[in-house]
Amino acid sequence: MGAQRKGASRVSEDSEELARVSLQAVLLADSFTTKFRPITLERPKVLLPLVNVPMINYALSWLESAGVEEVFVFCCANSKQVIDYLENSEWVSLPDFAVTTIESHNSISAGDALRLIYERNVIHGDFVLITGDTISNMPLTQALQEHKDRKKKDSNAVMTMVVKRSKPSPITHQSRLGTDELFMAIDHNSKQLLYYEDRADDSKGIIHLDKSLLMDNPSISLHNDLQDCYIDICSPEVLSLFTDNFDYQHLRRHFVKGLLLDDIMGYKIYTHEICSSYAARIDNYRSYDTVSKDIIQRWTYPLVPDVKFFGNSAYKLERQGMYRASEILQARSAQVGPFTVIGDNSKIGDNTKITNSIIGQGCSIGSNVTIEGSYIWDNVTIEDGCKLSHAIVCDGVIIKSGAELEPGVILSFKVVVGDQFIVPSYSKVSLFQQPINQDSDDELEYADNSSGIVEFADTTDKSNNELMSKSLEMQGLPASELGNGGIGHVWSICEGSVEEEWRHSVAPIPADRLEKILQKATDDELELTRDANVLPTSGELKSDSNVSDGDDNEDSRDDSIHFEKEVEATFLRGVHENIKVDNVILEVNSLRLSYNKVAADCAGALFYSLMKFALDSPHGSSSELLQNTTNIITKWKKLLKYYLTDMDEEIEVILKFEEMCLESAKEFTPHFTKILCHLYDQEIIQEDAILRWDDEKKEADDSDKLFVKQAEKFIEWLRVASEEEDDEEEE
């Protein structure tokens, strides 16, 4: 893999223009939210490791290289840890980049934080507003210039929000970051934001727009395919608006929606869409998983493990996205798979297998251990024979021999899992007791209580495990609950929160859950069709006037292109994240419903995706390309065969292959017959389909018979074999 992805841009690009003015930024160091409990009871969210680097370093590195000169870091809960970290870091010694902390224990929301910053009178012009869990490499020049130009023409243009294309899952209706499907209405010409809703009604995804919105804005565009990056360029008036309106607590739910509904003051919010750059906010465990994978796959370049930036140690990039630190000890028989990071001073024992995971510094991993899709932080001990699947394991945890972590498990700091113990899916384990009254993220956006501090009886200062076990028994939790020698509290999942656990987990959504959601979506669609057939199932708004056949054909072609791209993205996600075939099938089925396609369309799109993946995989010669292709077809034949239920689908695959060889992937042309034979050998394409394809080509022009002629001997062999079988049956 190259040092930089195509289309990615260096963060420092275009910062020369910004250097002419002193650009300031406000960074809200979100101390913790209930979504990251129990981890954030002990460490602020912005200091949690993201690919072995504290989150806040990504945000500050981006701001510094994008031309920002002064950053005010607002700290609330666990503020001492954030302040101590920054004061002892390299950030305080940079000559042209000032980092100043503002501390408050009384602020309970982003609104309170911004009101306090207004009182301090430290912001003197336009500023960038982000949270400390924001990761980006976008240049700020263009967005900032657009904001300034609009402000000159209209003093009421007070904010520019950065957005990015990201279509939500048609099954779960959440983005790849685990956030709810977001609906935005934007003026197509001016880019003014007119409507913002991140929570659709329970009425099956239906949203309600005011008629005046449509009448006053003839070029309105309604989107559910935009991601809010939570990067805002603000005029100073934003701070005064928070001060004038004490009911503004949340940045989006109160401030943004409040301005959109206020037709008296006339303040306006605009959008700036980024295309090749990266921007995302880590809002839950699923977005933590997604952004970590994006970093490893280099979408965030130059903020990647093998490039030195503030707060990280440079790693060596090896084949298939594997990163290794210089000082590691790995047994010869251990297997480290693709898209994996191994930190300094970590040890890996015999016959251990690690795939799609991040290992921190100073970890000791025993023999015969399996780790898949997991995040192992610093100084973790995993003894022999353990199995970890899609879990987060914090600093200092000990997992004793033979223990197993099922998908979605969170082990907070210094927890001990006993011998042979199986931690059930989505369990959260901590040395802290589960709080009786938990504040909801629906109520607070920034901090979790008025003091910013939650008081718990911390039992981490005991001198040995025996004392800890006795302490746990006195608190009502038997030590045996975590197995022999286990230490920690298993938090119960609150009633009604089960769905939130698997939606926001680092683990892939279980197949049975997807099936239920898909079935419900199908039932709802049928019900809507029965109730009213005014709107098409896609939700697209169409005029009552007749549309020409040409327009219909154009729309159909566009739909087919989008469908194939969506299927390809789904397949690649399955490859890179090691998703089970059954789950990929569910995703493709949801796309099939969404785009109103048939099985043949799915078969053709999937075959295209497999072949393109083979073509994009590293190969030094034509023979290596052929070997790659046959290996990939063999591995994914179950996925392809699912959509080949009859001869028509099989012929569609052959036609798609012909089309690729003639147009988009001519490298396959000399191998057409060999690959066709392999599809036959793997029982993906049956002989009847191949012979029917040959028959249909008999009346075609010679130019359309290129591949029939190339496969002539193979086809003749099939015909002879078929005739012999017929003769035997007659006898």
Side-chain angles (χ1 to χ4, degrees):
M1 187 177 290
Q4 184 175 0
R5 272 192 181 275
K6 184 179 179 181
S9 59
R10 288 187 178 273
V11 190
S12 56
E13 180 185 354
D14 296 332
S15 61
E16 181 180 348
E17 183 178 340
L18 297 184
R20 301 173 192 165
V21 294
S22 178
L23 181 60
Q24 298 174 299
V26 172
L27 185 153
L28 302 180
D30 192 15
S31 298
F32 54 76
T33 68
T34 57
K35 291 177 184 176
F36 273 83
R37 283 184 175 177
I39 296 175
T40 46
L41 295 179
E42 301 180 60
R43 185 181 297 179
K45 182 181 175 186
V46 294
L47 297 186
L48 300 182
L50 183 68
V51 193
N52 297 339
V53 177
M55 281 188 204
I56 196 170
N57 282 353
Y58 289 93
L60 291 174
S61 294
W62 166 59
L63 291 173
E64 186 271 337
S65 54
V68 174
E69 296 179 19
E70 187 174 25
V71 180
F72 294 95
V73 179
F74 187 90
C75 311
C76 187
N78 289 328
S79 57
K80 187 177 186 304
Q81 291 187 48
V82 179
I83 293 171
D84 288 348
Y85 174 80
L86 291 175
E87 289 180 348
N88 291 285
S89 71
E90 300 175 58
W91 294 114
V92 296
S93 59
L94 293 182
D96 300 318
F97 186 68
V99 178
T100 305
T101 57
I102 297 176
E103 183 179 12
S104 170
H105 292 299
N106 298 318
S107 299
I108 64 170
S109 69
D112 288 345
L114 295 178
R115 280 185 278 272
L116 182 59
I117 290 172
Y118 178 78
E119 292 175 9
R120 298 288 179 92
N121 195 29
V122 293
I123 299 297
H124 307 299
D126 293 335
F127 65 97
V128 181
L129 176 61
I130 65 170
T131 53
D133 50 12
T134 299
I135 317 297
S136 181
N137 62 7
M138 68 169 286
L140 284 171
T141 306
Q142 183 180 350
L144 184 65
Q145 191 59 53
E146 288 175 2
H147 178 80
K148 290 180 177 296
D149 291 344
R150 278 193 290 260
K151 192 68 188 295
K152 289 178 182 178
K153 299 177 182 177
D154 185 355
S155 60
N156 284 336
V158 296
M159 178 186 280
T160 300
M161 291 170 49
V162 176
V163 296
K164 184 177 176 65
R165 295 275 173 171
S166 180
K167 193 168 184 178
S169 165
I171 298 181
T172 62
H173 294 286
Q174 58 179 168
S175 72
R176 60 191 297 269
L177 297 173
T179 54
D180 292 331
E181 185 173 20
L182 176 63
F183 294 91
M184 288 186 183
I186 299 173
D187 186 292
H188 181 72
N189 297 320
S190 69
K191 306 305 178 186
Q192 181 182 349
L193 180 67
L194 303 170
Y195 178 87
Y196 184 102
E197 180 57 65
D198 58 352
R199 295 180 180 181
D201 290 342
D202 293 333
S203 53
K204 307 173 183 63
I206 293 175
I207 62 171
H208 304 278
L209 297 178
D210 193 290
K211 289 182 180 179
S212 61
L213 191 66
L214 301 173
M215 294 174 63
D216 297 341
N217 300 276
S219 61
I220 189 172
S221 297
L222 185 61
H223 295 271
N224 75 331
D225 60 348
L226 290 177
Q227 167 195 322
D228 186 350
C229 300
Y230 287 89
I231 297 172
D232 302 324
I233 297 173
C234 305
S235 300
E237 289 88 341
V238 168
L239 297 177
S240 60
L241 284 170
F242 273 96
T243 303
D244 295 339
N245 297 272
F246 275 86
D247 55 338
Y248 285 171
Q249 299 294 330
H250 296 249
L251 289 173
R252 297 296 187 257
R253 209 172 306 153
H254 296 152
F255 177 72
V256 169
K257 292 184 180 180
L259 292 195
L260 294 179
L261 294 174
D262 185 2
D263 55 0
I264 298 176
M265 301 301 294
Y267 290 110
K268 299 173 185 176
I269 300 172
Y270 289 84
T271 60
H272 172 79
E273 183 178 342
I274 57 175
C275 298
S276 59
S277 301
Y278 185 88
R281 181 189 179 195
I282 299 173
D283 182 60
N284 52 61
Y285 288 123
R286 187 167 299 282
S287 54
Y288 178 89
D289 175 63
T290 301
V291 173
S292 296
K293 287 182 170 66
D294 290 344
I295 292 171
I296 293 173
Q297 294 175 23
R298 310 183 70 75
W299 293 107
T300 60
Y301 188 89
L303 304 179
V304 292
D306 61 311
V307 176
K308 178 69 177 175
F309 64 96
F310 289 99
N312 81 325
S313 302
Y315 290 75
K316 181 182 178 182
L317 173 61
E318 301 180 0
R319 290 184 61 189
Q320 295 184 305
M322 189 191 311
Y323 299 84
R324 296 176 189 266
S326 56
E327 300 292 333
I328 65 171
L329 186 61
Q330 178 182 332
R332 285 182 175 272
S333 58
Q335 300 177 43
V336 177
F339 304 113
T340 297
V341 179
I342 309 294
D344 265 325
N345 300 312
S346 288
K347 302 176 182 179
I348 305 171
D350 294 321
N351 299 311
T352 286
K353 185 176 181 181
I354 303 174
T355 56
N356 293 296
S357 299
I358 297 174
I359 311 299
Q361 299 180 8
C363 294
S364 177
I365 301 173
S367 301
N368 300 305
V369 173
T370 302
I371 302 175
E372 178 186 1
S374 297
Y375 299 89
I376 315 301
W377 295 358
D378 295 342
N379 303 310
V380 171
T381 299
I382 303 174
E383 297 182 357
D384 297 346
C386 293
K387 183 178 180 181
L388 289 73
S389 176
H390 302 286
I392 293 179
V393 180
C394 297
D395 296 0
V397 166
I398 298 174
I399 304 175
K400 296 194 173 183
S401 60
E404 180 178 345
L405 306 187
E406 293 186 341
V409 167
I410 308 293
L411 299 184
S412 194
F413 300 91
K414 298 183 180 178
V415 161
V416 178
V417 178
D419 294 320
Q420 307 294 323
F421 185 74
I422 299 177
V423 184
S425 298
Y426 310 114
S427 296
K428 295 179 180 178
V429 185
S430 174
L431 295 184
F432 287 91
Q433 296 182 39
Q434 186 171 8
I436 298 173
N437 296 316
Q438 294 193 61
D439 295 317
S440 168
D441 282 323
D442 292 340
E443 299 300 325
L444 300 176
E445 176 181 51
Y446 179 62
D448 283 311
N449 66 0
S450 58
S451 67
I453 300 173
V454 181
E455 298 292 341
F456 289 88
D458 187 357
T459 54
T460 58
D461 59 349
K462 300 299 183 183
S463 59
N464 56 59
N465 290 356
E466 184 179 352
L467 287 175
M468 178 67 79
S469 298
K470 290 180 180 178
S471 173
L472 290 173
E473 289 174 352
M474 291 174 63
Q475 293 165 3
L477 178 70
S480 60
E481 185 174 334
L482 290 169
N484 184 23
I487 302 172
H489 294 273
V490 180
W491 287 24
S492 61
I493 298 177
C494 301
E495 186 177 353
S497 300
V498 176
E499 181 174 334
E500 183 175 327
E501 292 298 329
W502 58 257
R503 278 182 175 272
H504 294 158
S505 171
V506 297
I509 298 177
D512 61 330
R513 298 284 184 182
L514 290 174
E515 286 176 0
K516 289 179 181 177
I517 297 171
L518 187 59
Q519 184 58 52
K520 185 178 185 302
T522 305
D523 294 343
D524 290 345
E525 186 173 349
L526 291 173
E527 183 180 338
L528 278 174
T529 304
R530 286 195 302 268
D531 291 345
N533 56 7
V534 177
L535 283 178
T537 56
S538 64
E540 180 187 359
L541 295 175
K542 293 187 177 180
S543 68
D544 294 332
S545 58
N546 293 326
V547 182
S548 69
D549 291 341
D551 289 340
D552 281 344
N553 292 335
E554 188 68 32
D555 290 343
S556 178
R557 283 194 294 271
D558 288 344
D559 271 355
S560 296
I561 293 170
H562 290 312
F563 174 72
E564 288 193 354
K565 287 183 177 179
E566 291 279 1
V567 170
E568 182 184 2
T570 299
F571 169 72
L572 290 176
R573 190 163 60 250
V575 172
H576 296 318
E577 299 180 15
N578 200 25
I579 298 173
K580 293 180 179 179
V581 170
D582 290 342
N583 287 6
V584 177
I585 289 172
L586 285 170
E587 289 281 354
V588 174
N589 282 344
S590 69
L591 291 171
R592 175 183 172 183
L593 278 174
S594 179
Y595 283 91
N596 194 26
K597 298 295 182 180
V598 296
D601 298 318
C602 297
L606 279 170
F607 181 77
Y608 173 85
S609 302
L610 265 68
M611 300 299 284
K612 190 171 184 298
F613 176 60
L615 187 62
D616 292 342
S617 298
H619 56 274
S621 64
S622 182
S623 60
E624 285 186 18
L625 171 62
L626 176 61
Q627 187 63 50
N628 281 353
T629 306
T630 55
N631 290 342
I632 289 169
I633 289 173
T634 302
K635 181 177 180 180
W636 292 94
K637 66 180 180 180
K638 178 182 175 182
L639 175 62
L640 193 55
K641 286 177 69 173
Y642 180 86
Y643 294 98
L644 300 177
T645 57
D646 60 32
M647 192 182 301
D648 289 338
E649 281 87 12
E650 294 177 18
I651 293 174
E652 175 65 27
V653 166
I654 301 174
L655 295 175
K656 175 63 71 173
F657 191 21
E658 278 190 294
E659 179 186 323
M660 291 183 69
C661 290
L662 289 171
E663 298 176 4
S664 61
K666 296 181 180 179
E667 294 88 341
F668 288 122
T669 300
H671 303 301
F672 180 90
T673 302
K674 291 179 181 178
I675 294 173
L676 185 63
C677 288
H678 186 71
L679 291 168
Y680 171 76
D681 290 340
Q682 294 295 315
E683 298 183 349
I684 297 172
I685 303 293
Q686 306 301 317
E687 66 178 59
D688 288 345
I690 298 173
L691 296 177
R692 174 75 67 82
W693 166 67
D694 176 51
D695 291 339
E696 291 178 355
K697 293 283 186 177
K698 290 189 183 301
E699 302 301 324
D701 296 335
D702 287 343
S703 61
D704 201 25
K705 294 181 180 179
L706 175 64
F707 297 105
V708 169
K709 291 180 179 179
Q710 187 186 123
E712 189 172 15
K713 290 183 178 180
F714 173 57
I715 294 170
E716 184 60 30
W717 177 82
L718 287 177
R719 287 198 183 278
V720 171
S722 177
E723 290 171 359
E724 289 177 354
E725 286 182 6
D726 292 341
D727 292 341
E728 290 176 2
E729 288 178 1
E730 289 178 2
E731 292 176 1

